[in-house]
Amino acid sequence: IISAGRNTPESKKQASLGSCTELGNSLIGLSEASAIEKLSQSKRPYRIAERNNEVYPLSQDFSPDRINLKLLDGNVASFGCY
């Protein structure tokens, strides 16, 4: 018996994106230090993608688990999972 949609690469990717989005939403408005502490405790990979509208160069590899933070005035303004 084959179970469609269970433990496939696509289903794992979707689950990862869901948990990334959930954690990312909890970071909005936190200070950079608080967000990094929370990410470190969760062992979630992260990087600073943008600070005060200055966009940093990033590698082109796709990692749906990684949270990319956009900071404004020392706080998390938005994020992306890539």
Side-chain angles (χ1 to χ4, degrees):
I1 299 174
I2 298 173
S3 297
R6 293 181 60 191
N7 285 333
T8 64
E10 187 60 31
S11 66
K12 289 179 184 178
K13 180 179 172 183
Q14 290 301 319
S16 181
L17 278 173
S19 62
C20 180
T21 300
E22 185 177 318
L23 179 57
N25 282 329
S26 74
L27 301 174
I28 300 294
L30 293 181
S31 70
E32 179 178 354
S34 295
I36 289 173
E37 181 178 338
K38 191 170 188 174
L39 288 163
S40 295
Q41 289 173 353
S42 73
K43 300 193 182 335
R44 173 75 61 173
Y46 70 90
R47 61 186 173 185
I48 307 299
E50 185 177 314
R51 182 179 276 120
N52 294 327
N53 299 313
E54 180 182 348
V55 179
Y56 296 122
L58 303 173
S59 61
Q60 294 295 313
D61 62 317
F62 177 73
S63 176
D65 287 336
R66 182 175 52 216
I67 294 184
N68 296 270
L69 298 174
K70 293 183 179 182
L71 306 170
L72 187 60
D73 298 326
N75 297 315
V76 177
S78 65
F79 71 95
C81 299
Y82 55 88

